[in-house]
Structures are given as structure tokens and as C-alpha cells.
Amino acid sequence: MSLELKPLKPFAQGGNRLCYVHPEFPDRCIKVRRPDFTLEDRRRKKGFPKNLKPLSSFDDNLDEFRVMQQFQQDYDDGMFNHISRCFGFEDSDMGKGLTSELIRDSDGRISITLKQYLWDFGYPETLQAAVAELCQHWRHYRVPSRDLLVHNVVVQREWRAEQEIIRRLVVIDGLGSADIIPLAWQPERWRQNKTERKLSNFHQRIEDMLATRGNETFPGYHGLLFHDGLGEQAGERLND
């Protein structure tokens, strides 16, 4: 049976996809293509020769699914301590969607992104420690990824005696390598250098985000939650 997503509000939006709480599994999300930005639109925006590629090469869901399948095949389960799991495709009234682990805090709310956390709370020592742990994870596994963006990382929290504890940081997008030669086939020194370069860029993006805190408005919609995921079924209805 096809999932009904149209009556629901997405909890987040990326450049190419909308993210909904799964109507049947509150611990999963489902990502579907934005109806206002088709694969044809994406291809038209690309210059020559990228605009000659098949439409399937512009499908973020298909690309993410392939990457996650490779991760499950090539790495031990510890890889997913800081990466959201993938559960495959499901049909919906907005097209085929990719289902993934939905990261929630101990109170049931959808975990906010690192971008939003930095904007709201700055960079306390607890977050610095969580960032260091994520970076160590990236070094240990040499995770094939694009640059780590602050809106693609979420901060999972819990509260003990009203004290906030950051349980972990989880990367939810931007995984896989665009290199022609797979990262696993590259010399160890190359893999190490690429990992350190991405981590250095990650730290710089954190500093850049902190520098925006004096602005009046949140910088863009990427990384901003539209609801907390605790409403009726999949969050909130469109007419709420």
C-alpha cells in the first residue's frame, strides 16, 4: 500500500528532497523528491557535459541507497554509530521514497541539526567533545563522504536530572565519494589526507556558522526543522 504523505508537513527540506516522518514507523523518515524540482530540472541546470548524463544519475535517493548498501557490505556495524541507517525504498503518493533512521532525542523530539544547535546555543564544551568523537570516528573508518556540512549532521540529546547530555552526532546525508577511483582502492596515505582535509573543512564550517550568530535571521532553510515530529501520526497536518 502506498504511504500518504501529501496531507502531512515535511519536517525538513533539502535542495532536492523533502523529509517526512514515516506514517507507520516513528523512528524512520522517508525522503522524496521535491515536486517543484524534477530530475529534468536538475539536469537542465548542469552545464556541458554533465547535462548529457542519464536522469538516474541526478536521483539523490538512488545515489544514497547505493552508498548505504556499499557501507553495509564493506564495514562493520560500528560504522553506523555516527551514520543514520537506510531501510530501502517504499511507494508513496509523492513517488518512491527512501526510508532511513530518524534520529530523536530522549524526549521524542526530532534531533536538531548541528547548524541549528550552533545558532541557538553556540559551541559549549559538551558539543566540542561530541565533534571530536565524530572526527575520530571519521578517521577510524576513513568514511567515504563529501564535505561534512553542518546541516547534514544532527545532535542527539538526552536529559538527566534536567541536565542536557549530548549522546552523539549523526551524519544523515552527504555520504559516498565522487572520486572515479573508489576510496577503498586508494593508497592509505591518500585516504588519510582526504579524511583530514574534510575534517579541517568541517571545523571551518563550524567557525563560519558561529560567526553568523549575530545576524537577525537564521541563514537559509537548510538545517532548520519545520516541526518536532510529536504531532498526530507523522508530525503535523497541513491544516494545523
Side-chain angles (χ1 to χ4, degrees):
M1 181 179 294
S2 180
L3 300 174
E4 294 186 10
L5 301 180
K6 288 182 180 179
L8 305 175
K9 284 183 181 180
F11 67 85
Q13 174 178 330
N16 305 311
R17 297 182 289 181
L18 298 173
C19 300
Y20 292 85
V21 177
H22 194 293
E24 298 175 359
F25 301 101
D27 59 348
R28 298 184 183 186
C29 68
I30 180 165
K31 304 174 184 178
V32 295
R33 290 200 301 270
R34 285 173 46 188
D36 60 330
F37 192 54
T38 65
L39 296 182
E40 290 84 356
D41 293 332
R42 288 197 66 191
R43 183 163 65 179
R44 276 193 293 269
K45 287 188 66 176
K46 299 295 182 180
F48 180 83
K50 290 185 178 180
N51 57 7
L52 300 179
K53 291 183 177 181
L55 282 177
S56 61
S57 66
F58 298 93
D59 188 335
D60 285 346
N61 273 349
L62 184 58
D63 181 58
E64 181 177 334
F65 178 66
R66 288 170 176 166
V67 168
M68 299 310 292
Q69 278 191 313
Q70 197 69 43
F71 281 8
Q72 292 171 359
Q73 175 181 316
D74 294 345
Y75 297 90
D76 62 64
D77 197 60
M79 175 73 149
F80 297 97
N81 290 343
H82 293 279
I83 293 174
S84 59
R85 298 175 185 271
C86 177
F87 303 107
F89 287 99
E90 292 192 46
D91 292 324
S92 80
D93 57 1
M94 298 185 66
K96 193 173 290 293
L98 186 65
T99 59
S100 302
E101 179 184 9
L102 179 59
I103 310 302
R104 291 181 181 269
D105 295 341
S106 63
D107 62 1
R109 297 177 187 275
I110 297 173
S111 298
I112 64 175
T113 65
L114 177 58
K115 179 179 180 180
Q116 187 171 349
Y117 193 101
L118 291 167
W119 174 268
D120 290 343
F121 307 112
Y123 199 24
E125 290 184 1
T126 52
L127 180 57
Q128 293 177 40
V131 167
E133 181 180 330
L134 175 63
C135 291
Q136 187 57 36
H137 183 84
W138 238 244
R139 291 188 180 99
H140 176 74
Y141 284 99
R142 302 282 192 266
V143 181
S145 70
R146 280 80 165 178
D147 278 338
L148 291 169
L149 306 179
V150 291
H151 64 261
N152 285 339
V153 181
V154 299
V155 183
Q156 188 178 41
R157 297 175 289 171
E158 61 180 282
W159 284 266
R160 301 173 187 170
E162 299 184 355
Q163 181 179 2
E164 178 190 282
I165 305 295
I166 295 180
R167 184 182 299 171
R168 59 174 179 157
L169 302 185
V170 184
V171 179
I172 58 173
D173 203 358
L175 297 161
S177 174
D179 293 344
I180 296 176
I181 302 175
L183 193 64
W185 297 358
Q186 297 177 20
E188 175 62 23
R189 175 60 65 180
W190 291 10
R191 296 172 63 191
Q192 180 181 355
N193 289 342
K194 286 186 177 181
T195 299
E196 291 301 328
R197 187 162 59 249
K198 292 181 190 304
L199 295 179
S200 177
N201 291 342
F202 180 46
H203 285 293
Q204 184 58 55
R205 285 185 168 86
I206 290 174
E207 294 302 322
D208 292 344
M209 185 62 205
L210 290 171
T212 70
R213 296 190 74 212
N215 298 342
E216 292 185 1
T217 57
F218 189 78
Y221 61 84
H222 292 95
L224 185 65
L225 289 181
F226 301 150
H227 65 79
D228 62 14
L230 289 181
E232 179 183 0
Q233 289 187 354
E236 300 176 6
R237 296 286 171 173
L238 286 173
N239 58 357
D240 282 355

